[in-house]
């Protein structure tokens, strides 16, 4: 019964690994004995490859990015061939148009206000000149009037008063002499009493006039002249102050008018700048093709944003909206796990199979390996650290579609003339590797030392020789040939 179990296990192992035998052994299927579940060790070439799936892209492409934030109002169909300057995207412009109109009206208003303020400044400048000239003239008049009073009116008035006194004194002496003479003459009857009385009246008048002249002189010298001088000097001081006030008032008014002009200028510049900014934004809301090409939504290198590229969706500044690829040169982007990234080097050769052209295999080489894991990737919920690798395809105009999937086999290494066996022929236990070599009707468990491996085969460095026939299963394992099968007691039952 035990023998039957082993045979069943061999069949199960071969059946369970059918895909392996059909692919991994394709180049050396003559070494596999399916009926016995064995593999004959051979020397040959071992290609070490790393297989990853990725996305086709163009090496050269033009990405049209949003230059402002807004909602998409109109969007060209994806896949359409466009010419240069053809409209690709229209963003909603109503709010921006309203802002442009508001700033334009504000600019017109401020331009008028600035012109009015500049006119007021010129008027104020003229008015200030007039006011200062008027104050200067008033000061000059006050000073001349003071000088005229001191050097002209006072001496003239003093002479006038002095002459009045001298005349009054002369009249008094003359009428005194006449009265004295008349008094002598009246005794001799040369004059009458009436004549004497008339002369005495004239003398009395002359005396009064002398008193009055002296009084006028005293009043002028003691009161009127000092008072008039004070008034004249006060008028000069007031004119000087008025001149200072006129100049300061002119400066203050000019400062106020200049401040108004500056403020209007600043406001006008700010609003003009805002108007220019909004007009630029408005101009950026119609995106045109800078070159001809086929429209692809988003950025093929970063495909996660494609779902946001549709009418009514919000876009933000610098967001990739449209890609116009240059299909003459193609590449594939793959993401390599951190456990394998050290195997991958720039300029390594690779073989590429497109999902849309499965019947054709393209060759290429690695042109770029990112130094930072998950750079630019916004997904990856499994937490895996992966590095972006770019593989350029050889040749031009390959007629491949950007954005489609492709499988890449990176040629890590090629070993010549080495002992190679399928992975199924090698087993591990407690950190050691071993094989089961067919020995007559039984088998021998052999410890082996492994070299490099790929997805299907491994290099044997020590332990087996070319021509050895190895089991493709573990005969010591129980069960169904996949590592566990029933005990002999179970089989007997």
């Amino acid at each position: 019964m035990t023998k039957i179990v082993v045979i069943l296990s061999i069949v199960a192992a071969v059946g369970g690994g059918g895909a392996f035998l059909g692919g991994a052994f394709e180049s050396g299927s003559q070494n596999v004995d399916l009926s016995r579940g064995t593999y004959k060790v051979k020397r040959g070439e071992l290609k070490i490859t790393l297989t990853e799936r990725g996305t086709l892209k163009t090496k050269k492409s033009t990405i049209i990015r949003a230059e402002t934030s807004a909602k998409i109002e109109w969007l060209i169909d994806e896949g359409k061939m466009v010419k240069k300057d053809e409209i690709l995207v229209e963003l909603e412009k109503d709010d921006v148009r309203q802002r442009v109109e508001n700033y334009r009206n504000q600019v017109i208003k401020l331009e008028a206000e600035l012109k009015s303020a500049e006119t007021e400044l010129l008027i104020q400048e003229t008015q200030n000149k007039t006011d200062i000239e008027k104050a200067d003239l008033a000061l000059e008049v006050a000073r001349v009037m003071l000088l005229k009073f001191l050097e002209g009116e006072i001496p003239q008035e003093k002479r006038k008063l002095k002459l009045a006194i001298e005349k009054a004194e002369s009249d008094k002496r003359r009428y005194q002499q006449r009265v004295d003479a008349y008094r002598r003459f009246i005794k001799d009857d040369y004059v009458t009493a009436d004549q004497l009385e008339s002369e005495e009246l004239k003398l009395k008048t002359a005396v009064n006039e002398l008193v009055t002249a002296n009084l006028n002189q005293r009043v002028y010298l003691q009161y009127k002249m000092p008072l008039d001088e004070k008034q004249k000097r006060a008028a000069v001081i007031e004119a000087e102050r008025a001149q200072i006030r006129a100049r300061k008032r002119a400066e203050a008014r000019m400062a106020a008018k200049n401040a108004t002009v500056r403020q209007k200028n600043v406001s006008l510049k700010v609003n003009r700048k805002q108007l220019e900014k909004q007009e630029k934004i408005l101009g950026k809301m119609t995106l045109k093709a800078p070159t001809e090409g086929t429209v692809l939504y988003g950025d093929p290198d970063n495909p996660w944003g494609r779902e946001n590229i549709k009418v009514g969706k919000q876009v933000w500044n610098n967001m990739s909206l449209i890609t116009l690829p240059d299909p003459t040169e193609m590449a594939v982007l793959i993401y390599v796990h951190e456990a394998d990234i050290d195997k991958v080097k720039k300029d390594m050769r690779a073989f590429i199979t497109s999902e849309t052209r499965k019947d054709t295999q393209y060759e290429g080489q690695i042109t770029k390996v990112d130094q930072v894991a998950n750079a630019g990737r916004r997904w990856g919920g499994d937490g895996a650290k992966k590095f972006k690798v770019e593989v350029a395809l050889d040749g031009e105009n390959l007629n491949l579609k950007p954005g489609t999937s492709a499988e890449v086999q990176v040629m890590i290494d090629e070993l010549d003339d080495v002992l190679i066996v399928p992975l199924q022929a090698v087993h591990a236990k407690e950190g050691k590797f071993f094989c089961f070599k067919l020995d007559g009707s039984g088998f021998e468990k052999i410890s082996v030392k492994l070299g490099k491996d790929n997805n299907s085969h491994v290099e044997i460095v020590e332990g087996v020789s070319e021509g050895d026939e190895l089991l493709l299963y573990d005969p010591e394992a129980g069960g169904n040939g996949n590592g566990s099968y029933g005990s002999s007691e179970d089989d007997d039952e």
Side-chain angles (χ1 to χ4, degrees), residues 122-138:
L122 292 175
I123 292 173
Q124 188 62 60
E125 188 175 3
T126 304
Q127 183 63 48
N128 287 347
K129 184 177 180 181
T130 300
D131 292 345
I132 291 172
E133 289 175 349
K134 184 178 178 181
D136 290 344
L137 179 59

Side-chain angles (χ1 to χ4, degrees), residues 60-64 76 80-88 287-295 322-327:
K60 298 178 182 179
S61 60
T62 302
I63 298 178
I64 291 84
I76 196 168
K80 182 179 178 181
M81 183 69 182
V82 295
K83 297 180 180 179
K84 183 180 179 181
D85 294 329
E86 188 171 344
I87 295 177
L88 303 176
L287 304 180
K288 297 181 179 180
T291 183
E292 64 178 21
T294 303
V295 173
I322 300 288
T323 298
L324 298 177
D326 179 1

Side-chain angles (χ1 to χ4, degrees), residues 252-376:
R253 288 173 177 172
M254 285 298 292
K257 296 296 183 182
N258 275 314
T260 301
V261 171
R262 286 195 300 270
Q263 187 269 330
K264 296 298 181 184
N265 255 319
V266 170
S267 296
L268 181 59
K269 287 180 181 178
V270 170
N271 280 270
R272 278 177 174 167
K273 186 175 289 187
Q274 287 297 324
L275 174 61
E276 183 181 352
K277 178 181 177 181
Q278 294 302 320
E279 286 176 337
K280 284 183 178 179
I281 292 175
L282 187 62
K284 294 173 181 178
M285 301 186 85
T286 298
L287 304 180
K288 297 181 179 180
T291 183
E292 64 178 21
T294 303
V295 173
L296 292 178
Y297 290 168
D299 181 357
D301 292 354
N302 304 303
W304 53 82
R306 284 175 51 84
E307 66 274 8
N308 290 323
I309 304 174
K310 60 181 65 175
V311 173
K313 285 288 188 178
Q314 179 76 26
V315 300
W316 56 89
N317 186 36
N318 206 40
M319 177 180 173
S320 300
L321 300 181
I322 300 288
T323 298
L324 298 177
D326 179 1
T328 57
E329 296 183 44
M330 300 295 295
V332 183
L333 284 183
I334 59 175
Y335 289 86
V336 178
H337 195 279
E338 60 182 337
D340 297 319
I341 193 61
D342 287 340
K343 302 175 184 176
V344 177
K345 307 295 181 184
K346 188 178 178 182
D347 298 328
M348 279 184 172
R349 300 298 297 170
F351 299 93
I352 301 96
T353 304
S354 168
E355 193 67 30
T356 59
R357 300 280 299 276
K358 293 184 178 180
D359 57 336
T360 303
Q361 189 177 66
Y362 302 90
E363 291 191 31
Q365 67 179 20
I366 294 175
T367 55
K368 182 180 177 182
V369 180
D370 274 4
Q371 300 301 309
V372 179
N374 295 340

Side-chain angles (χ1 to χ4, degrees), residues 132-198:
I132 291 172
E133 289 175 349
K134 184 178 178 181
D136 290 344
L137 179 59
L139 176 59
E140 185 178 355
V141 169
R143 286 173 174 169
V144 169
M145 293 301 291
L146 175 61
L147 189 62
K148 176 187 174 187
F149 177 74
L150 294 174
E151 297 182 1
E153 292 180 1
I154 289 178
Q156 183 179 358
E157 187 65 25
K158 284 181 177 181
R159 285 194 299 271
K160 181 181 176 182
L161 291 172
K162 183 179 180 181
L163 288 173
I165 292 173
E166 290 176 350
K167 180 179 179 298
E169 288 177 343
S170 176
D171 288 344
K172 176 186 174 184
R173 286 193 302 269
R174 183 163 50 85
Y175 286 118
Q176 185 66 53
Q177 290 173 356
R178 287 175 68 89
V179 168
D180 291 343
Y182 272 40
R183 285 176 180 172
R184 289 194 304 269
F185 291 155
I186 199 170
K187 295 177 181 180
D188 297 329
D189 293 326
Y190 290 120
V191 293
T192 65
D194 290 336
Q195 288 177 322
L196 177 60
E197 185 179 357
S198 174

Side-chain angles (χ1 to χ4, degrees), residues 10 144 232 335 417:
I10 294 173
V144 169
K232 300 295 183 183
Y335 289 86
D417 194 29

